[in-house]
Amino acid sequence: MLSYLWSGMILIGIVWAAFHGRLDAVTMGVLDGAADAVSLGITMLGVLSFWSGIMEIGQKSGLVDWLAEKMGPVLHFLFPRLEPEHPAMRYMAVNMIANMLGLGAAATPAGLKAMEELAKREAVNCKGWQRIASNEMCTFLIINISSLQLVPVNIIAFRSQYGSSDPAAIVGPALAATVISTVVGVVFCKGMDRRRRRV
């Protein structure tokens, strides 16, 4: 669906530019955009490589496991019906830690593994082929989307790439926004869980 949407917007833009005699501006915009994309890609690759390396060192040194263990009370509060020793717990902890560091790409594999483990646990079939998402799966998805970030690495890299005088100035507002979104997400999940149990 998104491919149709983007293709349609590009086509409309080209037709509009041709109608108004501005195809030269479209051509220059495409070339400038391509150059910016390559430059930004190189910057993001460096930042992502650095933080992913830090994450890998943390995993091999046992720091991530230690942090995951310390997150036990938080995970138990979020997923009270999930066994503490369940494999999904560690994957969810790793995913949350990576998201807190602003490493969405590094968080994705752990998030997928967590969902896989939760799906194995919740093998409830409806009409033969459909699966019902469990409360834990929905909660984890919402927490993952709200994504509490202590260090918004990607935004800092974007701001640095485009010449911001203080790229890290976004840390405070980003932290406030993600704290609010996470709190709202948790309250929503708890409310829906309570409502489901009443029905």
Side-chain angles (χ1 to χ4, degrees), residues 33-106:
D36 280 349
V38 171
S39 179
L40 182 61
I42 291 169
T43 300
M44 294 304 297
L45 179 63
V47 171
L48 188 60
S49 298
F50 172 75
W51 283 103
S52 294
I54 294 290
M55 192 77 178
E56 190 66 24
I57 290 169
Q59 282 185 330
K60 295 207 168 162
S61 67
L63 178 62
V64 170
D65 288 329
W66 180 78
L67 287 171
E69 187 180 325
K70 294 297 176 189
M71 284 183 69
V74 174
L75 292 172
H76 178 68
F77 169 73
L78 293 172
F79 311 100
R81 291 191 293 277
L82 193 61
E83 305 80 15
E85 66 281 355
H86 194 277
M89 283 291 209
R90 183 182 182 278
Y91 290 125
M92 287 191 289
V94 170
N95 174 272
M96 289 179 190
I97 292 166
N99 273 328
M100 284 181 201
L101 296 174
L103 300 172

Side-chain angles (χ1 to χ4, degrees), residues 2-3 6 11 33 42 50 73 82 89 104 107 128 131 148 155 170 178:
L2 281 177
S3 58
W6 283 108
L11 186 60
I42 291 169
F50 172 75
L82 193 61
M89 283 291 209
R131 284 190 175 178
L148 173 65
I155 299 174
I170 195 69
T178 56

Side-chain angles (χ1 to χ4, degrees), residues 146-152 155 168-185:
S146 67
S147 186
L148 173 65
Q149 287 193 2
L150 303 177
V151 186
I155 299 174
I170 195 69
V171 171
L175 179 60
T178 56
V179 164
I180 292 168
S181 67
T182 302
V183 168
V184 169

